Amino acid sequence: MTIDDTDGTGTVLLDGLSTPQGRPRPWFLGSAPTPTEEPTDRASRTMMMAELAQLPFFRTVRQLVDFIGDGLRTTKQGELFAVDRRKLERQYSDSSSEYAWGTYGITSRTHLAWTVLTRHGWLVREEGWVRPTGQALAATGRDDATERDLDGARFLLAVALDEAAAGDWYSVLPGGFDEDVLDALLVASGTDGLTLPNHPIDGVLLHCSESVRFLVELLRHPHIHDVPLDRRTGHVADGAVLRIARVSHAIDHLISSGLVVIERGDGVEEEYERYDEYEHGENRVRIYRTPAVMRGAIALVRGRRSEESLPR
């Protein structure tokens, strides 16, 4: 493992591993493959649509639309009545055990689906009712997926990413979803998924023993080869730890929103056990995954951001 000086933010320059935009690659992604192109053959298209059909966010969107049907009464503020929301979320729990254990509950998925559909033309609220507008939702789970189907899925995912970033209301690490998060999502769309080393949830290492255990985690990681160190103390740079904590927190939010799924090696645990695992030196690997269509959605998000940054 080579050690590089940092600029105080945990940024390490790795030869040949820059991002498509020419930015320094996030140090904690290391040499992990970061695919940006989607496969184009027919079998891959079918696989991508099957992935989307299983993505919790897409299932929530479908169930919400089916629940609303031809129309549903809303509150004076144009929101779902609490009794309807609870009824809808009970359906989630009945249809999939996955919804029963989420640390943040399932309201965040319902809220994201509702926000996306009402703000972007799939549902309209008027005169105390919410109704479908007739705008088609992206088809998922079809063997004969067309490019139009995939375009619809990319757009829906891109909108959901933007809304999820804006709606991170409980964040203890504010700042929204930056480019580091998008890079991590691209890694998660690859064959091996995204694996992050265990770390303190608030990004702060208080004691030498904590710093040593964290460094051991980095040494175990299959893709991390360059670690940003504070030359004065020999510990991992504070900014580097905070940088990975910010991304991890964003990923947790995307899990609760149904846009990222997680694999665990030894059953289901609460997400907040991560810090306890770090404290006790256990090594429970979590693999984060996103569908391949996420690559096109991220391209849309980055394209929009680039246009917004242009001078008017």
Side-chain angles (χ1 to χ4, degrees):
M1 172 175 285
T2 59
I3 306 297
D4 295 79
D5 286 314
T6 76
D7 62 2
T9 65
T11 297
V12 181
L13 298 179
L14 304 179
D15 292 340
L17 289 176
S18 62
T19 64
Q21 292 74 33
R23 297 176 294 101
R25 182 183 176 90
W27 70 271
F28 49 85
L29 297 183
S31 61
T34 310
T36 57
E37 300 296 327
E38 297 172 1
T40 57
D41 59 279
R42 184 178 181 84
S44 296
R45 285 176 180 271
T46 300
M47 177 272 295
M48 288 194 291
M49 298 308 282
E51 286 179 334
L52 286 172
Q54 295 303 312
L55 193 67
F57 170 73
F58 270 80
R59 294 206 306 270
T60 302
V61 163
R62 289 288 179 189
Q63 288 174 297
L64 176 58
V65 170
D66 290 344
F67 185 78
I68 290 172
D70 294 331
L72 187 71
R73 294 283 301 180
T74 61
T75 67
K76 292 180 180 180
Q77 293 74 34
E79 303 297 332
L80 286 174
F81 281 102
V83 64
D84 288 328
R85 189 184 69 249
R86 288 194 293 269
K87 186 185 300 183
L88 175 63
E89 292 176 350
R90 280 197 297 270
Q91 291 182 8
Y92 299 158
S93 299
D94 292 342
S95 63
S96 172
S97 59
E98 161 188 358
Y99 289 100
W101 55 260
T103 298
Y104 308 111
I106 51 183
T107 303
S108 57
R109 293 180 188 173
T110 306
H111 176 73
L112 179 61
W114 173 264
T115 300
V116 167
L117 295 179
T118 55
R119 288 185 181 175
H120 298 276
W122 285 280
L123 297 175
V124 62
R125 291 173 288 186
E126 55 186 10
E127 299 178 353
W129 286 79
V130 59
R131 299 181 179 88
T133 62
Q135 179 175 325
L137 279 169
T140 57
R142 288 173 39 181
D143 293 336
D144 58 343
T146 65
E147 189 60 33
R148 183 175 181 178
D149 294 325
L150 290 171
D151 281 343
R154 294 183 192 105
F155 176 73
L156 187 56
L157 274 179
V159 167
L161 282 174
D162 282 336
E163 294 293 351
D168 195 7
W169 52 270
Y170 58 81
S171 177
V172 296
L173 296 170
F177 293 173
D178 60 15
E179 293 296 318
D180 281 2
V181 176
L182 298 182
D183 288 337
L185 293 178
L186 289 176
V187 172
S189 76
T191 304
D192 296 332
L194 169 69
T195 302
L196 298 176
N198 289 334
H199 59 278
I201 194 169
D202 60 358
V204 178
L205 296 168
L206 296 177
H207 307 289
C208 285
S209 58
E210 291 179 310
S211 297
V212 170
R213 285 198 297 270
F214 182 54
L215 187 56
V216 169
E217 287 292 333
L218 300 181
L219 290 170
R220 290 174 176 171
H221 197 281
H223 297 298
I224 296 175
H225 309 293
D226 296 79
V227 179
L229 294 184
D230 183 324
R231 295 286 179 173
R232 181 179 57 85
T233 64
H235 296 165
V236 180
D238 291 343
V241 185
L242 184 59
R243 189 176 181 187
I244 192 174
R246 288 182 183 277
V247 169
S248 179
H249 181 76
I251 295 293
D252 282 348
H253 179 46
L254 290 172
I255 292 169
S256 71
S257 300
L259 293 170
V260 174
V261 295
I262 186 172
E263 294 180 5
R264 297 175 174 83
D266 54 356
V268 172
E269 309 94 13
E270 294 289 334
E271 287 301 308
Y272 280 122
E273 285 186 5
R274 172 175 297 160
Y275 183 70
D276 181 65
E277 291 165 13
Y278 168 78
E279 279 288 278
H280 291 86
E282 298 178 22
N283 186 26
R284 298 178 181 175
V285 175
R286 288 177 170 84
I287 301 174
Y288 304 101
R289 296 193 180 276
T290 59
V293 178
M294 184 66 76
R295 303 168 198 173
I298 288 174
L300 290 176
V301 171
R302 283 179 162 159
R304 177 190 53 74
R305 289 182 180 182
S306 178
E307 290 179 359
E308 290 178 352
S309 67
L310 294 175
R312 300 296 180 182

